[in-house]
Amino acid sequence: GGTFPGQLTKVGMQQLYELGERLRKTYIEETPFLSPTFIPTEVYVRSTNIVRTIESARCLIAGLFQQKQKDIVSILTTDAESEILYPNYQGCKLLKVLLSPRWAEVSTLPGIAADLQSILSALGIEAHQHVDFILIRDDMVARETHGLPSPPVLSSWRNTVEERAVDMICHLYEPSRREKLQLSVGALLHVLLDNIEKKLEGSSAEANRKLFLYSAHDTTLIPCLMALEIFDMKWPPYAADVTLELHQNRKTGDAFVKVSYMGQDQLIPGCSGVYCPLQEFKQVVSTYTLTSELYHSRCTSTGEQAEP
């Protein structure tokens, strides 16, 4: 793609630009919600401090506002140690304690282990090279997306690779045991809920703020979807997006949250409708949300206490 490994290619830039255009159609053209030009007080942009996600945010903004802005577009980042936009094994010691053994055992699980041995053998990869289904999937999908050839043997393994990569991630987070999801996306979910509540209270320092954009990773989306109980057991494709919309009844003042994934409205389990009453939505995510203080105190604990 004419760039360093792991960075955004021209194809990726186009995908994010098109996502921006889709948001433009929804929030500017069909419903005049956002201003047609970028206004810093109206749009907050945050990204993980990685070149490809910063580029992704830039391309989305370009598609959303058609490169029209009244001011410079600031994309906020933070240092890796305190990042909450992905499961942070480095910044959260307890998460590392909980997930390290899961990572170690996942490739030895009966079905996964047998399939992995077969595909590595077919690809001519030595077992000691520590290649797993998630890595194979990343490589395979990148090749497909860019029209590049894959080893012919992969064609018969295509669906298995996808399924086993998802099996791995599900074993890793194991939604039935909430602590891993809490420590992975709980701080982010709290921020999203906090944005909603501040907007309703009118207490936000930026009263005109209408859009919060967070440029993150597939490894952010999957645990978020799991926490909302809407993960479809398919690895998110490139440029996938989760959207939370805040709605308010003009007459009663009642607030509702609508969640969509890749442009499709989602009915969240525990919600009485697609437009989920705010109290119901808060109840759903309260299982996983962690305040910044609680997140940091849990992260620095030894992990010896029993999981809730």
Side-chain angles (χ1 to χ4, degrees):
T3 186
F4 296 106
Q7 301 310 335
L8 201 63
T9 62
K10 288 180 181 176
V11 173
M13 291 177 185
Q14 183 63 34
Q15 289 173 325
L16 268 297
Y17 188 87
E18 287 169 4
L19 173 57
E21 288 184 314
R22 193 191 89 205
L23 297 178
R24 180 180 180 83
K25 186 180 176 190
T26 303
Y27 299 117
I28 295 176
E29 294 169 5
E30 292 175 354
T31 305
F33 174 66
L34 294 171
S35 302
T37 56
F38 178 87
I39 300 171
T41 53
E42 197 174 89
V43 182
Y44 170 93
V45 191
R46 166 92 157 77
S47 173
T48 57
N49 196 14
I50 295 170
V51 176
R52 71 173 177 274
T53 46
I54 295 169
E55 287 285 292
S56 294
R58 284 182 56 225
C59 294
L60 186 148
I61 289 288
L64 176 55
F65 294 104
Q66 302 294 291
Q67 292 142 67
K68 296 171 188 166
Q69 60 261 1
K70 292 183 178 178
D71 208 336
I72 192 163
V73 177
S74 295
I75 300 173
L76 302 177
T77 61
T78 190
D79 60 282
E81 188 71 17
S82 58
E83 186 58 83
I84 61 165
L85 291 189
Y86 50 68
N88 194 337
Y89 312 128
Q90 278 69 46
C92 184
K93 290 175 187 172
L94 180 54
L95 185 62
K96 190 171 185 179
V97 166
L98 291 171
L99 290 186
S100 291
R102 307 294 286 183
W103 267 120
E105 72 189 17
V106 71
S107 291
T108 66
L109 297 174
I112 293 177
D115 280 347
L116 186 60
Q117 194 174 358
S118 297
I119 194 170
L120 292 183
S121 174
L123 290 168
I125 297 171
E126 300 289 337
H128 65 79
Q129 290 184 265
H130 301 297
V131 173
D132 60 37
F133 278 109
I134 293 175
L135 292 172
I136 295 171
R137 185 202 166 276
D138 275 352
D139 186 277
M140 181 179 75
V141 172
R143 289 167 184 262
E144 285 176 358
T145 306
H146 294 84
L148 297 171
S150 285
V153 69
L154 269 184
S155 59
S156 62
W157 279 92
R158 177 81 183 63
N159 293 337
T160 305
V161 169
E162 282 280 351
E163 287 166 15
R164 289 310 195 188
V166 170
D167 288 344
M168 285 181 68
I169 212 84
C170 286
H171 178 75
L172 198 63
Y173 292 115
E174 200 184 9
S176 61
R177 305 286 290 279
R178 71 175 186 169
E179 190 161 34
K180 299 180 196 76
L181 284 180
Q182 267 189 326
L183 295 172
S184 297
V185 291
L188 170 58
L189 290 173
H190 176 77
V191 166
L192 301 181
L193 207 51
D194 199 46
N195 292 342
I196 288 170
E197 296 195 312
K198 282 180 177 172
K199 187 67 183 177
L200 287 170
E201 292 165 5
S203 63
S204 174
E206 301 86 5
N208 298 323
R209 188 78 77 217
K210 289 185 176 181
L211 178 66
F212 293 85
L213 285 171
Y214 298 90
S215 183
H217 306 262
D218 50 4
T219 48
T220 312
L221 289 190
I222 293 172
C224 277
L225 294 168
M226 285 179 173
L228 293 169
E229 293 186 42
I230 54 171
F231 183 47
D232 59 5
M233 299 302 286
K234 294 175 184 171
W235 202 280
Y238 291 131
D241 69 304
V242 174
T243 305
L244 273 64
E245 291 179 358
L246 172 62
H247 295 260
Q248 195 167 25
N249 185 308
R250 283 200 180 94
K251 291 181 181 175
T252 64
D254 292 342
F256 301 83
V257 176
K258 182 165 76 106
V259 177
S260 59
Y261 176 48
M262 295 195 293
Q264 299 297 311
D265 292 348
Q266 304 290 315
L267 177 58
I268 307 295
C271 285
S272 53
V274 169
Y275 287 88
C276 184
L278 179 59
Q279 289 310 314
E280 289 180 11
F281 184 75
K282 284 167 70 173
Q283 186 63 39
V284 169
V285 296
S286 67
T287 308
Y288 297 106
T289 50
L290 285 175
T291 63
S292 179
E293 297 77 22
L294 200 49
Y295 171 72
H296 287 112
S297 68
R298 292 279 285 283
C299 280
T300 52
S301 67
T302 61
E304 288 169 3
Q305 68 272 38
E307 259 192 5

PDB file of all heavy atoms in Angstrom, residues 114-132:
ATOM      1  N   ALA A 114      -6.476 -28.240  17.008  1.00  0.00           N
ATOM      2  CA  ALA A 114      -6.433 -29.175  15.874  1.00  0.00           C
ATOM      3  C   ALA A 114      -6.480 -28.420  14.552  1.00  0.00           C
ATOM      4  O   ALA A 114      -5.697 -28.701  13.622  1.00  0.00           O
ATOM      5  CB  ALA A 114      -7.602 -30.157  15.964  1.00  0.00           C
ATOM      6  N   ASP A 115      -7.366 -27.447  14.452  1.00  0.00           N
ATOM      7  CA  ASP A 115      -7.474 -26.651  13.221  1.00  0.00           C
ATOM      8  C   ASP A 115      -6.195 -25.854  12.972  1.00  0.00           C
ATOM      9  O   ASP A 115      -5.732 -25.735  11.838  1.00  0.00           O
ATOM     10  CB  ASP A 115      -8.674 -25.694  13.293  1.00  0.00           C
ATOM     11  CG  ASP A 115      -9.993 -26.393  12.987  1.00  0.00           C
ATOM     12  OD1 ASP A 115      -9.957 -27.532  12.491  1.00  0.00           O
ATOM     13  OD2 ASP A 115     -11.054 -25.787  13.248  1.00  0.00           O
ATOM     14  N   LEU A 116      -5.632 -25.283  14.045  1.00  0.00           N
ATOM     15  CA  LEU A 116      -4.421 -24.476  13.902  1.00  0.00           C
ATOM     16  C   LEU A 116      -3.263 -25.328  13.401  1.00  0.00           C
ATOM     17  O   LEU A 116      -2.521 -24.922  12.509  1.00  0.00           O
ATOM     18  CB  LEU A 116      -4.066 -23.812  15.234  1.00  0.00           C
ATOM     19  CG  LEU A 116      -2.893 -22.817  15.205  1.00  0.00           C
ATOM     20  CD1 LEU A 116      -3.174 -21.662  14.244  1.00  0.00           C
ATOM     21  CD2 LEU A 116      -2.609 -22.267  16.601  1.00  0.00           C
ATOM     22  N   GLN A 117      -3.130 -26.525  13.971  1.00  0.00           N
ATOM     23  CA  GLN A 117      -2.062 -27.430  13.543  1.00  0.00           C
ATOM     24  C   GLN A 117      -2.200 -27.766  12.057  1.00  0.00           C
ATOM     25  O   GLN A 117      -1.230 -27.756  11.302  1.00  0.00           O
ATOM     26  CB  GLN A 117      -2.112 -28.714  14.376  1.00  0.00           C
ATOM     27  CG  GLN A 117      -0.862 -29.559  14.261  1.00  0.00           C
ATOM     28  CD  GLN A 117      -0.888 -30.746  15.222  1.00  0.00           C
ATOM     29  OE1 GLN A 117      -1.823 -30.905  16.001  1.00  0.00           O
ATOM     30  NE2 GLN A 117       0.132 -31.572  15.160  1.00  0.00           N
ATOM     31  N   SER A 118      -3.434 -28.006  11.630  1.00  0.00           N
ATOM     32  CA  SER A 118      -3.690 -28.360  10.223  1.00  0.00           C
ATOM     33  C   SER A 118      -3.371 -27.204   9.283  1.00  0.00           C
ATOM     34  O   SER A 118      -2.721 -27.386   8.252  1.00  0.00           O
ATOM     35  CB  SER A 118      -5.155 -28.778  10.035  1.00  0.00           C
ATOM     36  OG  SER A 118      -5.446 -29.924  10.784  1.00  0.00           O
ATOM     37  N   ILE A 119      -3.812 -25.999   9.632  1.00  0.00           N
ATOM     38  CA  ILE A 119      -3.610 -24.862   8.712  1.00  0.00           C
ATOM     39  C   ILE A 119      -2.145 -24.433   8.688  1.00  0.00           C
ATOM     40  O   ILE A 119      -1.612 -24.078   7.633  1.00  0.00           O
ATOM     41  CB  ILE A 119      -4.550 -23.679   9.045  1.00  0.00           C
ATOM     42  CG1 ILE A 119      -4.546 -22.673   7.876  1.00  0.00           C
ATOM     43  CG2 ILE A 119      -4.158 -22.969  10.330  1.00  0.00           C
ATOM     44  CD1 ILE A 119      -5.594 -21.599   7.975  1.00  0.00           C
ATOM     45  N   LEU A 120      -1.468 -24.473   9.831  1.00  0.00           N
ATOM     46  CA  LEU A 120      -0.042 -24.126   9.847  1.00  0.00           C
ATOM     47  C   LEU A 120       0.746 -25.105   8.996  1.00  0.00           C
ATOM     48  O   LEU A 120       1.649 -24.714   8.247  1.00  0.00           O
ATOM     49  CB  LEU A 120       0.500 -24.102  11.278  1.00  0.00           C
ATOM     50  CG  LEU A 120      -0.025 -22.996  12.203  1.00  0.00           C
ATOM     51  CD1 LEU A 120       0.657 -23.067  13.574  1.00  0.00           C
ATOM     52  CD2 LEU A 120       0.167 -21.614  11.597  1.00  0.00           C
ATOM     53  N   SER A 121       0.377 -26.365   9.088  1.00  0.00           N
ATOM     54  CA  SER A 121       1.033 -27.397   8.281  1.00  0.00           C
ATOM     55  C   SER A 121       0.789 -27.145   6.798  1.00  0.00           C
ATOM     56  O   SER A 121       1.712 -27.194   5.983  1.00  0.00           O
ATOM     57  CB  SER A 121       0.510 -28.773   8.690  1.00  0.00           C
ATOM     58  OG  SER A 121       1.021 -29.768   7.833  1.00  0.00           O
ATOM     59  N   ALA A 122      -0.472 -26.816   6.448  1.00  0.00           N
ATOM     60  CA  ALA A 122      -0.824 -26.557   5.046  1.00  0.00           C
ATOM     61  C   ALA A 122      -0.105 -25.326   4.498  1.00  0.00           C
ATOM     62  O   ALA A 122       0.259 -25.270   3.322  1.00  0.00           O
ATOM     63  CB  ALA A 122      -2.334 -26.389   4.916  1.00  0.00           C
ATOM     64  N   LEU A 123       0.115 -24.334   5.383  1.00  0.00           N
ATOM     65  CA  LEU A 123       0.783 -23.095   4.963  1.00  0.00           C
ATOM     66  C   LEU A 123       2.303 -23.199   5.056  1.00  0.00           C
ATOM     67  O   LEU A 123       3.015 -22.280   4.642  1.00  0.00           O
ATOM     68  CB  LEU A 123       0.300 -21.913   5.828  1.00  0.00           C
ATOM     69  CG  LEU A 123      -1.141 -21.440   5.607  1.00  0.00           C
ATOM     70  CD1 LEU A 123      -1.579 -20.489   6.718  1.00  0.00           C
ATOM     71  CD2 LEU A 123      -1.289 -20.757   4.252  1.00  0.00           C
ATOM     72  N   GLY A 124       2.784 -24.289   5.640  1.00  0.00           N
ATOM     73  CA  GLY A 124       4.227 -24.450   5.776  1.00  0.00           C
ATOM     74  C   GLY A 124       4.824 -23.575   6.849  1.00  0.00           C
ATOM     75  O   GLY A 124       5.981 -23.143   6.760  1.00  0.00           O
ATOM     76  N   ILE A 125       4.033 -23.284   7.892  1.00  0.00           N
ATOM     77  CA  ILE A 125       4.505 -22.446   8.998  1.00  0.00           C
ATOM     78  C   ILE A 125       4.861 -23.345  10.177  1.00  0.00           C
ATOM     79  O   ILE A 125       4.073 -24.209  10.570  1.00  0.00           O
ATOM     80  CB  ILE A 125       3.413 -21.429   9.424  1.00  0.00           C
ATOM     81  CG1 ILE A 125       3.104 -20.463   8.263  1.00  0.00           C
ATOM     82  CG2 ILE A 125       3.844 -20.635  10.664  1.00  0.00           C
ATOM     83  CD1 ILE A 125       1.899 -19.575   8.519  1.00  0.00           C
ATOM     84  N   GLU A 126       6.042 -23.137  10.737  1.00  0.00           N
ATOM     85  CA  GLU A 126       6.472 -23.930  11.888  1.00  0.00           C
ATOM     86  C   GLU A 126       5.668 -23.535  13.135  1.00  0.00           C
ATOM     87  O   GLU A 126       5.358 -22.356  13.337  1.00  0.00           O
ATOM     88  CB  GLU A 126       7.973 -23.698  12.162  1.00  0.00           C
ATOM     89  CG  GLU A 126       8.886 -24.068  10.999  1.00  0.00           C
ATOM     90  CD  GLU A 126       8.983 -25.576  10.790  1.00  0.00           C
ATOM     91  OE1 GLU A 126       8.729 -26.319  11.769  1.00  0.00           O
ATOM     92  OE2 GLU A 126       9.292 -26.009   9.667  1.00  0.00           O
ATOM     93  N   ALA A 127       5.355 -24.523  13.961  1.00  0.00           N
ATOM     94  CA  ALA A 127       4.537 -24.284  15.161  1.00  0.00           C
ATOM     95  C   ALA A 127       5.182 -23.266  16.105  1.00  0.00           C
ATOM     96  O   ALA A 127       4.501 -22.490  16.770  1.00  0.00           O
ATOM     97  CB  ALA A 127       4.282 -25.596  15.890  1.00  0.00           C
ATOM     98  N   HIS A 128       6.512 -23.261  16.158  1.00  0.00           N
ATOM     99  CA  HIS A 128       7.202 -22.367  17.109  1.00  0.00           C
ATOM    100  C   HIS A 128       7.148 -20.894  16.695  1.00  0.00           C
ATOM    101  O   HIS A 128       7.608 -20.027  17.421  1.00  0.00           O
ATOM    102  CB  HIS A 128       8.663 -22.804  17.292  1.00  0.00           C
ATOM    103  CG  HIS A 128       9.504 -22.671  16.048  1.00  0.00           C
ATOM    104  ND1 HIS A 128      10.016 -21.466  15.621  1.00  0.00           N
ATOM    105  CD2 HIS A 128       9.899 -23.606  15.135  1.00  0.00           C
ATOM    106  CE1 HIS A 128      10.699 -21.650  14.509  1.00  0.00           C
ATOM    107  NE2 HIS A 128      10.646 -22.941  14.181  1.00  0.00           N
ATOM    108  N   GLN A 129       6.601 -20.614  15.514  1.00  0.00           N
ATOM    109  CA  GLN A 129       6.553 -19.210  15.051  1.00  0.00           C
ATOM    110  C   GLN A 129       5.403 -18.413  15.668  1.00  0.00           C
ATOM    111  O   GLN A 129       5.242 -17.229  15.374  1.00  0.00           O
ATOM    112  CB  GLN A 129       6.479 -19.172  13.516  1.00  0.00           C
ATOM    113  CG  GLN A 129       7.794 -19.607  12.869  1.00  0.00           C
ATOM    114  CD  GLN A 129       7.769 -19.472  11.357  1.00  0.00           C
ATOM    115  OE1 GLN A 129       7.477 -20.414  10.629  1.00  0.00           O
ATOM    116  NE2 GLN A 129       8.071 -18.288  10.873  1.00  0.00           N
ATOM    117  N   HIS A 130       4.608 -19.078  16.503  1.00  0.00           N
ATOM    118  CA  HIS A 130       3.542 -18.397  17.253  1.00  0.00           C
ATOM    119  C   HIS A 130       2.586 -17.611  16.359  1.00  0.00           C
ATOM    120  O   HIS A 130       2.290 -16.448  16.617  1.00  0.00           O
ATOM    121  CB  HIS A 130       4.144 -17.471  18.328  1.00  0.00           C
ATOM    122  CG  HIS A 130       5.010 -18.183  19.308  1.00  0.00           C
ATOM    123  ND1 HIS A 130       4.535 -19.173  20.158  1.00  0.00           N
ATOM    124  CD2 HIS A 130       6.344 -18.090  19.563  1.00  0.00           C
ATOM    125  CE1 HIS A 130       5.520 -19.639  20.889  1.00  0.00           C
ATOM    126  NE2 HIS A 130       6.636 -19.013  20.556  1.00  0.00           N
ATOM    127  N   VAL A 131       2.116 -18.246  15.309  1.00  0.00           N
ATOM    128  CA  VAL A 131       1.084 -17.652  14.458  1.00  0.00           C
ATOM    129  C   VAL A 131      -0.257 -18.220  14.910  1.00  0.00           C
ATOM    130  O   VAL A 131      -0.382 -19.431  15.105  1.00  0.00           O
ATOM    131  CB  VAL A 131       1.334 -17.991  12.971  1.00  0.00           C
ATOM    132  CG1 VAL A 131       0.174 -17.522  12.100  1.00  0.00           C
ATOM    133  CG2 VAL A 131       2.629 -17.346  12.504  1.00  0.00           C
ATOM    134  N   ASP A 132      -1.250 -17.354  15.121  1.00  0.00           N
ATOM    135  CA  ASP A 132      -2.572 -17.846  15.527  1.00  0.00           C
ATOM    136  C   ASP A 132      -3.634 -17.417  14.513  1.00  0.00           C
ATOM    137  O   ASP A 132      -3.333 -16.752  13.520  1.00  0.00           O
ATOM    138  CB  ASP A 132      -2.924 -17.369  16.946  1.00  0.00           C
ATOM    139  CG  ASP A 132      -2.968 -15.852  17.069  1.00  0.00           C
ATOM    140  OD1 ASP A 132      -3.426 -15.179  16.116  1.00  0.00           O
ATOM    141  OD2 ASP A 132      -2.549 -15.323  18.116  1.00  0.00           O
TER     142      ASP A 132
END
